[in-house]
Amino acid sequence: MTSRMLKPWLFLLPALIIYLTVIFVPAVYTFFLSFFSWNGVAPHKEFVGLGNYAELFTQDTVFMRALKNNLFWMIGSLTLIMGAGLGLALLLNKKLKGRIFFRGVFYFPYVLSGIVVATGWTWLYNPTQGFVNKMLALLGLESWQHAWLAEPDIALYAVFAAAMWQGIGQPMVLFLAGLQSIPHDPYEAALIDGAKPYQSFFYITLPLLRETFVIVVATTLIASMKVYDIIYGMTGGGPAESTQVLSSWMYSQTFKFANIGMGSAIAFILVLVSMTIIIPYVYYTTRKSYV
Amino acid sequence: MKKWVALLASVLLVVTGAVGCSSDAGQQSQEGSSSGSPKVSISLWTLNTGWAWLQSAVKDFESANPDIDVELTQYEVDPFKENLKVAASSKTLPDMWFTWGGSLGSFYPENGMTMDLTQVAKDHKWSEKYNKTAIDMSTFNGKISGIPMHLNVLGMWYPKELYQKLNLKAPSKFADFESQLKTLKDNGVTPLAFGSKGGWHTMRLTEQLLEHFAGPELHDKLNNLEASWNDPAVVKTFEKIKEYTDKGYFPMGYSSLDPSEAEMLFYQQSAGIINEGTWFDGNITENGFDPAKFDVFNFPTEQTPTRASVFAEMLQINGASDPAKQEAAIKLGEYLTSVEVVNKYINDYGSPATLGFTVSEKTPHIQPLLDSAKNGGFLITDQALPQEVVQKLFEAQDKVALNEWTPQQAAENMENAVSAYKSKQK
């Protein structure tokens, strides 16, 4: 009896050790560091309690903007990227010539690194030489021209458009897999009963895609909270810190200004916000199942 | 059956561990076999743009010193700054690295990460080899912490042909300078080639305006955090940034334009004036243009003494490296800054901190720029100020240009940032 109980733990032990040393301990240490003022190399750390958190919420205007930008990114990702991904998946799920080609075309950007996408799109947006402004001029719409990455009201949305182009592939592929796992029988039954296409979509497709939605929503939320490289590559957080997100501001605090405590506090807040949204969602949605 | 599977897994685990151990043993024996003629390998990090000559110089050094291997890594400016900080906090700094003076370079010696070169400087008679100002700017808390490499001076560069065409001459009065901006604009040329992504390019204009409005004494006090930044001179400075933005004197979208893109506008002569330093002859040549077709003037601050923005660049050595590596790094650093190497690569080297070098006709602007700093210089702002305050200055520049802050608000926020920094230091 005793040896039988021990066996699972023995087999889990290597993975558990790796998890604890690589993820759990650093995470706890980061939380610990968020109570100190430290530059990462000095022998002495000064304990400041909740001082770092207080400063972030009361004095650091960039932090509040970064948080707001992350929330926009989250909402935009859930609505636009997921919506477009689902739309493409529905289209590509039909029998269509060149289906494989189009799947490849839409999935390909997802494989590119954020910096590659950032470099390409930065050139598209170049105010004098970029494709976007030149195309607008060609169409006689000079008044619509903007310095897309240099106007605080527009820059974040311009970067988001690039991220959307890059990010659509993942939800598309996941939804496509989910759609292809739905049997034909319910649709045939609905057709016999006189259901219209949109009724089939809302009463059959969406409910049966529930598990896929759980995965897509969770991964999209996580990706939107930790977005960094495409923003860093396109704007560096500018102009006037208007496109900073929590990750980029955390990075600046930690490695540019050597404010380890502040950076750790931002990291902890980032995790806290992510978990606050994701854990209830996953818990709630996995309680029900139609399959 | 289950027992056999468990046993097999255990055996695999043990074998894997054993393989790991044996490969380590193999490496050790290999190191042992090469200990007959000890070879030292050192790592060196520098910038890449304008530093192409370095690879050739390093190869020369390795040929002359067969017992030393140099592992060279080169970066762009902002990634370089950040990678150094990352390496510092993870204790993986290279054996030697390039850095700037002021607060950019002081982080490493102030935290005990650099080798103290004070005695080396005496033994090797650096005062006879390097410019005194450059040595002073490589000294932190009384210790010489870097091998001086460059002593840079900044100025306003312009294309001669464009100025001749518009019948313009280098301005000596601030009003003339502004008049020229208007003339350039009226003739379809973007007057000021600045790219504010990263903030430091526009800062070079901001600091000149500040020297003009504040004067040398107050400017120095501001940089030493001994005077309030909420001062009329600071407000006027930001007012000019806003005025020049509103009048279209900067490139479209310049607050997110990379400085290297602004540089391209300058070469194409679609932008008129750029603020660059003594290295810029090399950049011009590297990009396929002729330095003789450009000229440079001091920003007309109308102040006495007339000062230029200056900064030193140096090679710092890892205080935690093996003594053998440190010795090899000193040898390499002194070689790269020796008068022989400087003269060999003078066309690309930039402005040497080394004494006694021969000026090249292909870098015609180094001497005039160095001369412009003879009456004095002020340390460039992103090295004079603490980095948190520098960042706030960059933010203020952008926000004023983009109508998010008034110049008055910008000055207030600068003072808030200074106060916050000071309170943390106590």
Side-chain angles (χ1 to χ4, degrees), chain B residues 17-302:
Chain B
V19 168
C21 292
S22 65
S23 69
D24 284 345
Q27 277 183 350
Q28 284 165 16
S29 66
Q30 190 174 350
E31 286 168 17
S33 68
S34 70
S35 67
S37 57
K39 198 158 194 178
V40 182
S41 178
I42 56 174
S43 49
L44 168 64
W45 289 9
T46 71
L47 299 180
N48 54 5
T49 306
W51 287 65
W53 62 272
L54 186 63
Q55 290 168 32
S56 180
V58 165
K59 284 194 174 73
D60 293 344
F61 175 82
E62 285 177 316
S63 296
N65 299 273
D67 55 321
I68 301 177
D69 271 343
V70 182
E71 183 192 327
L72 173 64
T73 308
Q74 294 181 295
Y75 296 90
E76 281 294 335
V77 173
D78 287 306
F80 180 74
K81 290 174 181 174
E82 287 158 17
N83 281 325
L84 268 188
K85 285 281 176 61
V86 172
S89 55
S90 57
K91 299 193 182 0
T92 56
L93 281 166
D95 298 305
M96 182 157 72
W97 61 89
F98 158 90
T99 193
W100 300 266
S103 61
L104 288 175
S106 67
F107 178 81
Y108 309 98
E110 281 173 2
N111 287 289
M113 311 184 91
T114 54
M115 183 184 175
D116 181 359
L117 298 168
T118 311
Q119 191 59 47
V120 173
K122 279 181 193 160
D123 295 345
H124 295 189
K125 295 184 165 63
W126 282 12
S127 59
E128 296 171 16
K129 294 180 178 176
Y130 302 113
N131 182 293
K132 180 186 188 313
T133 301
I135 295 177
D136 290 345
M137 287 185 169
S138 304
T139 304
F140 302 95
N141 297 328
K143 296 177 184 176
I144 297 178
S145 304
I147 301 174
M149 188 165 207
H150 293 120
L151 182 61
N152 287 310
V153 184
L154 289 88
M156 309 296 281
W157 295 66
Y158 62 94
K160 284 178 176 175
E161 181 188 324
L162 178 61
Y163 259 51
Q164 281 160 11
K165 191 173 83 174
L166 299 181
N167 202 28
L168 300 173
K169 290 178 182 174
S172 56
K173 298 275 196 225
F174 184 68
D176 293 340
F177 168 73
E178 291 202 314
S179 172
Q180 288 182 10
L181 299 182
K182 184 175 190 304
T183 301
L184 289 162
K185 179 68 179 177
D186 290 346
N187 283 272
V189 176
T190 303
L192 297 166
F194 283 83
S196 207
K197 185 180 179 187
W200 46 265
H201 207 219
T202 302
M203 171 202 74
R204 297 172 179 174
L205 178 63
T206 303
E207 64 183 10
Q208 296 290 355
L209 292 166
L210 195 51
E211 177 81 357
H212 170 64
F213 288 116
E217 191 178 337
L218 178 56
H219 191 185
D220 283 349
K221 283 183 176 175
L222 290 168
N223 281 351
N224 294 326
L225 312 186
E226 292 162 5
S228 172
W229 276 75
N230 192 4
D231 183 281
V234 177
V235 176
K236 283 176 186 168
T237 296
F238 285 124
E239 279 170 358
K240 283 299 174 185
I241 295 292
K242 175 158 175 52
E243 180 187 326
Y244 295 169
T245 303
D246 291 346
K247 290 181 171 175
Y249 289 171
F250 293 112
M252 185 184 181
Y254 81 104
S255 54
S256 273
L257 206 64
D258 198 271
S260 61
E261 293 173 84
E263 201 171 315
M264 291 304 140
L265 296 177
F266 176 76
Y267 295 136
Q268 296 157 16
Q269 300 195 24
S270 53
I273 302 170
I274 195 169
N275 186 307
E276 292 289 346
T278 36
W279 62 86
F280 201 55
D281 283 325
N283 283 32
I284 292 171
T285 304
E286 198 171 287
N287 282 279
F289 297 89
D290 181 2
K293 294 188 173 177
F294 300 88
D295 213 340
V296 61
F297 61 82
N298 268 11
F299 188 93
T301 61
E302 297 184 41

